[in-house]
Amino acid sequence: MVDSSTFDAAALTAAIDEGISKVKAAATLDELHAVRTAYAGGDSALAAASKAIGLLPNDQKKEAGKLLGKLRADFGRAYGPKEQELKEAAEKAALAAERVDMTQPVNRRPLGARHPLPKLLEDVEDFFVSMGWQIADGPEVETEWYNFDALNFGPDHPARQMQDTFYVKGNQTKDAAGFVGSNIVVRTQTSSDQVRSLIERGVPLYIACTGRVYRTDELDATHTPVFHQCEALAIDKNLTMADLKGVLNKLAVAMFGPDAKARLRPSYFPFTEPSAEMDLWFPDKKGGPGWIEWGGCGMVNPNVLRSAGIDPDVYSGFAFGVGMERTLLLRHDINDMHDLVEGDVRFSKQFVMGE
Amino acid sequence: MPFIDIDWLREHVAVPQDESYEQLAKDLVRVGLEEEEIHTSSVTGPIVVGYVVDATPEPQKNGKTINWCHVDCGDQWNETDENGNKVPRGIVCGAPNMRAGEKVVVTLPGAVLPGDFHIQPRKTYGHISNGMCASERELGLGNNHNGIILLSERGYSQEEYDAIKPGDDAITLLHMDEPLLEINITPDRGYAFSYRGVAREFHNSTGAAFTDPVDALDAKAPMQDAHAHDIDVVVDDENPIHGVVGCDRYYARAVRNFDPDAKSPAWLQHRLLRAGMRPISLAVDVTNYVMLDLGQPMHAYDLDKLCPPIVVRRAKEGEKLTTLDGKEHELSTEDLLITDSPDGKEGSRVMGIAGVMGGLYGEVTSETRNILLESAHFGTVTIARSARRHKIPSEASRRFERGVDTALQPAACEMAAELMERYGHGTASATPTDYNTIEKRPVIRFKTSEVQRLTGLDLSIGRISDILEDIGCRLGGGGNGELTVAAPSWRPDLNYPCDLVEEIARIEGYDAIPTTVPPVPAGNVGLTADQKRKRMVADTLAEYGLVETLTYPFVGDEDFKAFAFDPAKEKPYSIEIANPLAGDRPFLRRNVLITLALTVQRNIRRGLDNVSLYEIGHVFLADPKAPPVPALPGGVKPTDEQLAALDAGLPRQPLHVGAIMTGLAEDDGWLGDKRPVDWSDAVEAVRRVSDRLGAGLRFVQPAEGMTVPEQWHPGRYAAVQLADGTMVGRVGEFHPAVNEALGFPAHTAAFELDLTALFNGVEYAPLQAKPISTFPPVKQDFAFTVDTAVSSAAVENAIRKAAGDDLESIELFDVFTGGQLGAGKKSLAYSVTFRSPSKTLGSDDADALRAAIVSECARLGAELRA
């Protein structure tokens, strides 16, 4: 033990040496801090020596002070790195203890899924919006006038039969063809929105209408009685079939990639003249690229424009309709329509939030 | 739709010798005749001609009699006996028309017939049958299965028949190896329902030389004589449809001294079979052949049975007709009839529905020697309606309803008469009857600039004229680029300039049309706010964990009942389909949940757990008092009143979103315990939608004991309202009865929102932002005891009101009932944060706010707990 009232240089040196060796031996931060308290704290020999210097004769003070400073520095040089070392080790151990298995599934509230069909409709709508067109929507239960008559299907037009229409029951008497006449149908085509839009919005008009349509086809691998179409209608001065081809090609590319394109071949629809079937060059077709039927189109029949009170000698334009289910089946290699309509969550979940 | 045989087509147009059926399909589709299918033979050999050496009838225990036959199939195919000699094959045949001395078609072991039917030697009725004698149906040649094919009955001439030897390849003989092109004919191209028309289109597509057979026939066909004609014809139409008389041409011509035993020649039978028609008798076969070749439906009557005059008239009320197929039809006053006049009573005996189907009386029979050929032109609508009304679409009606060439009748009769003379040894009359009131069609005034205006094709007037003349138009004018165009008689579809533009474009080729992109229109506004909001709702719910689906909107009694709806109350307000696909689901849904439930059910039945689905779709709200929708003509813009009447009769069809959540909201796992779905999951989903749209939706729960809709749990149901009180939906848990009926787990949660009403109620003005206070917050906790009847929303509103502008947030952090609270009470504990926009709140301020809240809540009967 060092006498607290006298300055014993040898004893002090021995104490600090002991302290330094204990610093080196410390295994934890707590041990280290205890060593510091014992050898450099308020009750340590070092602190006592510091006080004792004041009692020394003046000629000894300088040397004693020098020794004291050196011993304090020696201790500090040992202590500092040791503390750093132990701190790092402690932190490392703490982090190691907190290690987890990051591959454990974390799925408290899993994402649901969008159905790919409405998502495809959104993509198609975005395509038309990007061209500056507007998106229209008409009623699914529609008058025969908008669904047929205004589109140049007369009451006995053969095409009215080829449409396989769901008729709405009415309280009126049977008409000549044996139907109970309500003059209301469930729309067979989104074209029913053409004349509505023309009357409501006037010309020039650039619209697309996406939505549900209905035909009396039983559900099978390629048919469904409830399906979706996208109808496009552009009426302006100086629009030609060349513009129709241009827009179709752009849509083909938007839906099926840069190598896709459209081709027209003559056909018949009451509401267009000239009329065409539209084939799609599908680069990813199973078994090699090829043409597949994609929809119908043509220049709007003057009688349709007249139904909306528009002068067909001044205005012209084109319309086309594309089946959305067909587009989706092709894009995603879906082989069975049942998958699209049955609502099995396993089907939609494949697509997550997109399509 | 029609079948095209290349050899037959060559009668009228120079089809290249090496033309394949694939190439034919390509050539025709270019001008708009679409390929339906190329039918190829599914028959492989050996199939050979056999000569029946003997046929021994052997009655069987089962009552049948079979023939044990020996059939000479030529040396190559005959059997070899024990001495190495070639002997006829032993074949068992059950056909009633099997007899010795016939030449038949033998399918030998190794042959494969349609339906993947492999021929093998087989032991049957005590013999080894080493092959099979085939019927038409077994070979895919037609529908006849009344007996086997006897080559003696197939119309071969004696020389032709003698030349057919046992062992000859029957596949070649019967043309079983030739493909056949089936095409689709659009409704405007009635003339293409004939070889004449298809040949013309082949010419239009390829430029191959085309000869119209009608030109030569017309040159030979006799004109009506002023003094003598074969039969008197009266057209008496008292009920024209749309003002169009049902028959505007009736050409009739007699063929006398016809040999009723004469058979159709083999080539004719073959062609009919290739066209999908069954040979019947020479007279009938000829009329069918002319129809297929030229497109004119014809009828052959037994002239001796007719009592003139022939009267073409509409049916009278209550009249009936038994058609050839033995069915009795009640006639409509719109049916056009062919009648004759026994006992001087004009038009008293019905012989058939014009252009649709013949009756039993007056038909050609196996005794008929004198024939009257009918070659008429009937109204398209009249025929279409009758065929549809009586559900007897026929080859004839298919052509009449698309429009038959109005100038074709004499030529068609001439062709039929010539065939009957040649093969039936009859004599055709030179004095036909020609009742003809066909009106001349107006010429089309055609500005040739329309071609460029509508198609972008830049064609000279010379090229335009050439195309129009080539398709049969007659042209006049030409000055100032304007033509007068008379459309050919076989093209009733060409009436307006745009029709001619299509002809020119399709003959020039749609591929020749340039490609341009129209300019971006002015006034581009993008998606509307509602269109964006619909997407927001869809995305929000999917992000919340629900799966989007689409369901058919058809419902019926079972669905109403499962969903606790009273069918008697639902039906008057539901749209009913007159011709539903499923008779038990004729109505359209009035809400989404009722059809969505079926899809949830399907998923659960497939063994899937925790099914949570939503659907965005329209519902249909019929108004039983809705005014009738008027029938209006097309091509004319209706008046504003008429337009209003169209819409007034339609049901409201708002856009809804419905969702059903079943099973677990949170699954069991290492992160924590499972939690079953309940009402709170549905409410949270609606809150998210509300927050996403900024809709500020409120939940209004009926007081205890008040009735709630029967679909819902009486204590776990709330109406969803806009801030102004407009009801926009329902949320909660299904009633246990609904869960049981649908097989859903208990506490299945659901909601349905009327998005149309919701979007209408959302403010579209830009939000006006509040300044952000930087003064420190003060937090206070409140625990109130209230009656259970007091809703937490009411307490929260009271706190909100009392706190005023200094309120930052309210959180309900604890709810409990029971214990020392006593019955009918509950405890609600709130953590409330205050922050002033203008100063640091001191303890005085906090105390004052606390006092205000306590006093405001006291008005609800809430006591602050110590």
Side-chain angles (χ1 to χ4, degrees):
Chain A
M1 204 52 209
V2 179
D3 186 339
S4 62
S5 61
T6 61
F7 186 85
D8 180 340
L12 186 62
T13 302
I16 292 301
D17 284 348
E18 184 183 279
I20 286 173
S21 68
K22 284 197 175 173
V23 161
K24 285 182 177 156
T28 67
L29 275 176
D30 285 349
E31 272 181 55
L32 184 67
H33 291 153
V35 172
R36 185 179 61 187
T37 306
Y39 293 91
D43 294 333
S44 66
L46 206 57
S50 185
K51 281 179 200 153
I53 283 178
L55 303 175
L56 285 176
N58 284 346
D59 60 334
Q60 292 176 24
K61 275 183 185 164
K62 190 178 174 191
E63 194 163 343
K66 231 179 186 173
L67 177 66
L68 195 66
K70 176 188 172 292
L71 291 175
R72 187 176 276 131
D74 286 349
F75 185 83
R77 264 195 298 278
Y79 183 87
K82 184 67 181 180
E83 185 185 38
Q84 182 68 24
E85 178 196 320
L86 288 177
K87 264 189 181 166
E88 278 171 11
E91 190 172 81
K92 204 171 164 188
L95 290 177
E98 283 178 8
R99 181 183 164 81
V100 295
D101 177 0
M102 291 288 285
T103 67
Q104 274 169 247
V106 180
N107 219 10
R108 288 185 186 85
R109 189 104 221 183
L111 208 57
R114 295 290 314 274
H115 192 281
L117 197 91
K119 281 298 286 183
L120 177 66
L121 296 189
E122 291 177 7
D123 281 359
V124 173
E125 288 166 3
D126 289 344
F127 165 78
F128 285 103
V129 166
S130 79
M131 290 197 306
W133 295 34
Q134 291 174 43
I135 307 302
D137 186 18
E140 290 173 21
V141 173
E142 181 58 288
T143 61
E144 290 197 53
W145 191 78
Y146 282 114
N147 196 69
F148 289 129
D149 301 276
L151 295 174
N152 202 37
F153 291 83
D156 286 285
H157 205 289
R160 207 148 162 164
Q161 274 76 64
M162 75 181 184
Q163 291 267 343
D164 310 321
T165 310
F166 283 116
Y167 286 87
V168 168
K169 229 182 211 177
N171 46 13
Q172 299 170 43
T173 49
K174 284 188 179 184
D175 74 3
F179 283 111
V180 180
S182 65
N183 296 321
I184 299 175
V185 297
V186 192
R187 70 177 175 190
T188 56
Q189 48 193 359
T190 41
S191 314
S192 60
D193 214 33
Q194 284 187 11
V195 174
R196 261 187 192 280
S197 297
L198 282 167
I199 287 175
E200 283 168 16
R201 300 165 190 240
V203 282
L205 182 71
Y206 293 81
I207 53 153
C209 173
T210 59
R212 268 186 152 184
V213 300
Y214 300 76
R215 305 226 183 133
T216 57
D217 292 321
E218 296 280 356
L219 173 65
D220 63 23
T222 53
H223 296 87
T224 161
V226 183
F227 56 104
H228 297 75
Q229 285 185 334
C230 171
E231 181 86 8
L233 175 72
I235 305 292
D236 207 337
K237 291 175 181 168
N238 307 316
L239 286 178
T240 72
M241 274 181 105
D243 297 311
L244 166 62
K245 286 176 87 171
V247 172
L248 286 176
N249 275 334
K250 283 182 73 139
L251 181 62
V253 168
M255 291 290 111
F256 294 99
D259 296 331
K261 60 191 173 189
R263 170 181 81 174
L264 304 186
R265 61 192 157 76
S267 188
Y268 168 78
F269 303 103
F271 41 105
T272 49
E273 190 78 30
S275 299
E277 287 283 351
M278 173 208 331
D279 293 335
L280 167 76
W281 178 258
F282 184 31
D284 301 320
K285 186 172 179 237
K286 274 277 166 79
W291 294 102
I292 43 172
E293 284 183 37
W294 199 27
C297 61
M299 298 302 288
V300 175
N301 191 297
N303 267 342
V304 176
L305 296 177
R306 286 189 196 104
S307 295
I310 290 156
D311 184 351
D313 290 331
V314 178
Y315 285 92
S316 60
F318 58 85
F320 64 84
V322 182
M324 290 288 99
E325 273 76 1
R326 182 162 174 74
T327 304
L328 199 70
L329 295 182
L330 287 170
R331 267 174 66 141
H332 299 287
D333 190 29
I334 302 163
N335 294 316
D336 195 336
M337 187 69 81
H338 289 87
D339 289 344
L340 270 190
V341 305
E342 282 182 344
D344 192 308
V345 294
R346 292 168 297 176
F347 176 73
S348 289
K349 278 184 171 173
Q350 297 177 80
F351 296 87
V352 198
M353 295 297 288
E355 45 77 43
Chain B
M1 289 279 184
F3 297 100
I4 306 302
D5 172 290
I6 288 182
D7 280 339
W8 189 346
L9 196 61
R10 286 201 175 100
E11 298 265 336
H12 309 311
V13 67
V15 181
Q17 280 313 308
D18 58 353
E19 181 93 356
S20 65
Y21 278 85
E22 286 73 20
Q23 185 59 42
L24 179 67
K26 278 185 194 162
D27 290 337
L28 292 178
V29 77
R30 208 159 41 225
V31 286
L33 301 182
E34 189 186 50
E35 167 189 338
E36 171 72 31
E37 193 181 345
I38 293 176
H39 298 271
T40 51
S41 171
S42 50
V43 174
T44 53
I47 300 174
V48 302
V49 172
Y51 177 78
V52 183
V53 178
D54 61 52
T56 313
E58 295 184 353
Q60 302 295 319
K61 280 182 224 144
N62 62 9
K64 276 189 185 172
T65 298
I66 58 104
N67 282 290
W68 169 237
C69 314
H70 289 94
V71 183
D72 177 4
C73 296
D75 280 351
Q76 187 190 346
W77 302 105
N78 276 340
E79 293 171 13
T80 308
D81 70 5
E82 56 270 28
N83 301 322
N85 297 321
K86 291 285 186 183
V87 296
R89 294 173 88 94
I91 292 174
V92 171
C93 179
N97 62 342
M98 168 53 90
R99 54 182 178 258
E102 290 287 350
K103 287 180 192 167
V104 298
V105 176
V106 185
T107 60
L108 297 171
V112 182
L113 306 190
D116 201 31
F117 177 31
H118 293 252
I119 301 297
Q120 306 282 355
R122 65 192 182 109
K123 200 165 175 169
T124 179
Y125 296 114
H127 301 283
I128 301 287
S129 186
N130 214 347
M132 183 185 84
C133 299
S135 71
E136 278 178 9
R137 195 170 76 189
E138 283 161 341
L139 294 176
L141 285 172
N143 283 324
N144 193 349
H145 194 54
N146 296 327
I148 55 169
I149 294 174
L150 301 180
L151 294 175
S152 60
E153 292 182 354
R154 291 186 73 84
Y156 294 108
S157 68
Q158 196 58 48
E159 303 89 85
E160 285 169 336
Y161 188 69
D162 290 345
I164 299 171
K165 298 292 182 210
D168 285 358
D169 181 6
I171 290 179
T172 322
L173 181 72
L174 300 179
H175 308 272
M176 281 185 267
D177 52 345
E178 281 175 38
L180 198 55
L181 172 65
E182 185 177 1
I183 56 173
N184 283 329
I185 307 289
T186 51
D188 58 329
R189 302 275 188 84
Y191 69 99
F193 253 109
S194 68
Y195 274 88
R196 178 199 185 205
V198 174
R200 182 182 292 282
E201 287 304 325
F202 186 80
H203 159 77
N204 286 337
S205 173
T206 65
F210 167 71
T211 313
D212 188 346
V214 170
D215 293 343
L217 291 164
D218 267 342
K220 292 183 277 180
M223 305 288 278
Q224 173 160 272
D225 189 285
H227 307 290
H229 46 267
D230 290 334
I231 195 156
D232 284 332
V233 173
V234 176
V235 174
D236 178 20
D237 188 350
E238 289 180 342
N239 189 19
I241 300 177
H242 305 317
V244 177
V245 171
C247 173
D248 52 6
R249 190 165 193 187
Y250 196 100
Y251 185 97
R253 190 173 170 194
V255 176
R256 296 192 171 82
N257 299 317
F258 180 78
D259 174 5
D261 295 328
K263 290 240 167 359
S264 297
W267 65 264
L268 198 157
Q269 290 198 31
H270 169 63
R271 284 187 173 176
L272 290 179
L273 285 168
R274 294 274 286 164
M277 296 188 88
R278 194 158 61 88
I280 293 167
S281 69
L282 177 59
V284 173
D285 293 351
V286 162
T287 56
N288 283 336
Y289 181 72
V290 171
M291 172 178 70
L292 293 168
D293 197 46
L294 300 183
Q296 171 67 54
M298 299 187 71
H299 204 88
Y301 296 98
D302 187 330
L303 182 57
D304 296 332
K305 290 184 186 162
L306 298 189
C307 299
I310 285 179
V311 179
V312 184
R313 62 166 174 87
R314 301 281 169 180
K316 298 189 189 84
E317 202 75 56
E319 254 183 312
K320 286 180 183 155
L321 171 70
T322 305
T323 42
L324 281 172
D325 54 7
K327 281 195 195 125
E328 189 179 78
H329 297 266
E330 277 189 39
L331 300 176
S332 149
T333 54
E334 284 197 344
D335 286 326
L336 190 71
L337 305 179
I338 309 297
T339 66
D340 73 342
S341 313
D343 308 321
K345 284 185 234 160
E346 261 195 25
S348 58
R349 182 165 53 195
V350 181
M351 292 190 295
I353 304 174
V356 177
M357 193 167 258
L360 290 172
Y361 188 81
E363 289 296 314
V364 170
T365 66
S366 54
E367 278 95 47
T368 301
R369 302 198 66 88
N370 296 312
I371 292 171
L372 185 74
L373 290 168
E374 168 196 289
S375 176
H377 187 264
F378 299 120
T380 54
V381 175
T382 294
I383 301 301
R385 287 191 181 180
S386 288
R388 187 144 55 103
R389 182 181 303 116
H390 299 294
K391 299 192 173 65
I392 36 177
S394 62
E395 291 285 340
S397 70
R398 249 195 285 284
R399 288 168 174 81
F400 278 125
E401 65 180 74
R402 285 172 169 81
V404 165
D405 185 344
T406 53
L408 181 58
Q409 290 70 32
C413 250
E414 174 65 24
M415 181 172 171
E418 285 179 13
L419 288 167
M420 287 183 171
E421 285 186 326
R422 188 178 317 149
Y423 296 103
H425 320 300
T427 310
S429 139
T431 55
T433 299
D434 189 5
Y435 169 90
N436 186 353
T437 60
I438 301 279
E439 284 174 25
K440 197 162 179 274
R441 291 161 67 192
V443 296
I444 305 164
R445 305 180 66 83
F446 185 48
K447 281 190 275 185
T448 53
S449 58
E450 283 290 280
V451 175
Q452 183 150 31
R453 185 174 82 98
L454 293 176
T455 69
L457 278 170
D458 183 12
L459 301 180
S460 70
I461 191 166
R463 173 70 184 142
I464 290 170
S465 302
D466 286 349
I467 290 174
L468 290 175
E469 283 181 333
D470 198 39
I471 63 164
C473 294
R474 277 170 289 114
L475 306 184
N480 298 328
E482 187 167 317
L483 298 168
T484 56
V485 181
S489 57
W490 58 87
R491 293 298 302 267
D493 60 313
L494 301 183
N495 298 300
Y496 304 102
C498 60
D499 303 331
L500 301 178
V501 171
E502 177 177 89
E503 287 303 298
I504 291 154
R506 83 179 172 95
I507 305 276
E508 185 69 14
Y510 281 1
D511 289 344
I513 295 171
T515 300
T516 55
V517 177
V520 174
N524 167 16
V525 295
L527 292 175
T528 63
D530 283 359
Q531 286 162 351
K532 289 179 193 157
R533 282 176 163 80
K534 180 182 168 188
R535 294 184 181 192
M536 288 176 194
V537 172
D539 286 343
T540 298
L541 293 174
E543 280 161 7
Y544 183 57
L546 282 77
V547 176
E548 184 175 29
T549 189
L550 303 171
T551 65
Y552 291 170
F554 306 118
V555 295
D557 278 7
E558 289 309 309
D559 306 311
F560 292 138
K561 285 180 200 154
F563 234 72
F565 284 115
D566 178 357
K569 285 185 188 157
E570 289 296 305
K571 287 178 186 178
Y573 297 91
S574 299
I575 293 288
E576 183 174 2
I577 304 292
N579 53 334
L581 274 184
D584 56 349
R585 290 205 165 106
F587 300 100
L588 296 184
R589 66 181 176 197
R590 303 185 74 250
N591 58 76
V592 167
L593 291 179
I594 196 167
T595 59
L596 185 62
L598 300 175
T599 300
V600 172
Q601 208 174 37
R602 184 179 300 125
N603 277 283
I604 290 175
R605 284 178 182 163
R606 288 183 180 178
L608 300 165
D609 299 323
N610 312 332
V611 178
S612 289
L613 298 180
Y614 74 99
E615 176 179 7
I616 296 177
H618 290 277
V619 302
F620 308 91
L621 310 175
D623 175 359
K625 294 195 209 95
V629 168
L632 300 172
V636 187
K637 186 182 178 186
T639 63
D640 289 350
E641 291 72 29
Q642 286 172 325
L643 287 171
L646 287 175
D647 282 350
L650 286 178
R652 282 209 304 121
Q653 303 170 47
L655 187 70
H656 276 206
V657 59
I660 297 176
M661 305 160 84
T662 73
L664 299 177
E666 285 169 51
D667 217 339
D668 243 348
W670 64 271
L671 280 164
D673 290 342
K674 65 187 173 190
R675 182 176 71 75
V677 157
D678 65 17
W679 61 274
S680 67
D681 296 287
V683 168
E684 186 180 352
V686 175
R687 268 200 201 282
R688 280 175 182 248
V689 168
S690 173
D691 292 348
R692 183 76 178 80
L693 299 176
L697 293 179
R698 302 190 315 200
F699 300 90
V700 179
Q701 187 173 10
E704 203 171 337
M706 299 281 283
T707 54
V708 307
E710 282 162 356
Q711 293 69 48
W712 301 92
H713 187 308
R716 298 185 169 198
Y717 161 79
V720 183
Q721 293 183 351
L722 291 171
D724 67 2
T726 308
M727 162 116 173
V728 295
R730 306 171 191 280
V731 60
E733 291 178 16
F734 282 147
H735 194 283
V738 171
N739 286 332
E740 193 187 328
L742 294 167
F744 290 173
H747 300 292
T748 291
F751 67 86
E752 175 144 359
L753 300 174
D754 177 344
L755 293 178
T756 302
L758 174 51
F759 295 166
N760 282 342
V762 177
E763 189 64 52
Y764 290 161
L767 179 132
Q768 304 300 299
K770 284 183 194 148
I772 299 301
S773 168
T774 53
F775 295 101
V778 174
K779 283 189 203 257
Q780 296 245 337
D781 286 355
F782 299 83
F784 289 111
T785 305
V786 287
D787 287 349
T788 49
V790 176
S791 71
S792 76
V795 176
E796 191 178 311
N797 280 338
I799 295 171
R800 205 173 283 283
K801 189 176 164 198
D805 288 345
D806 289 341
L807 181 73
E808 182 157 284
S809 66
I810 305 176
E811 189 201 344
L812 175 66
F813 69 85
D814 191 32
V815 181
F816 73 91
T817 55
Q820 75 260 53
L821 288 175
K825 296 283 184 186
K826 64 182 172 186
S827 165
L828 300 173
Y830 292 92
S831 171
V832 184
T833 305
F834 306 107
R835 196 198 299 259
S836 164
S838 54
K839 63 172 187 173
T840 298
L841 295 174
S843 58
D844 292 356
D845 300 308
D847 290 350
L849 282 165
R850 189 172 183 87
I853 285 170
V854 170
S855 115
E856 186 65 33
C857 289
R859 295 156 68 102
L860 296 169
E863 288 173 32
L864 194 65
R865 293 174 60 223

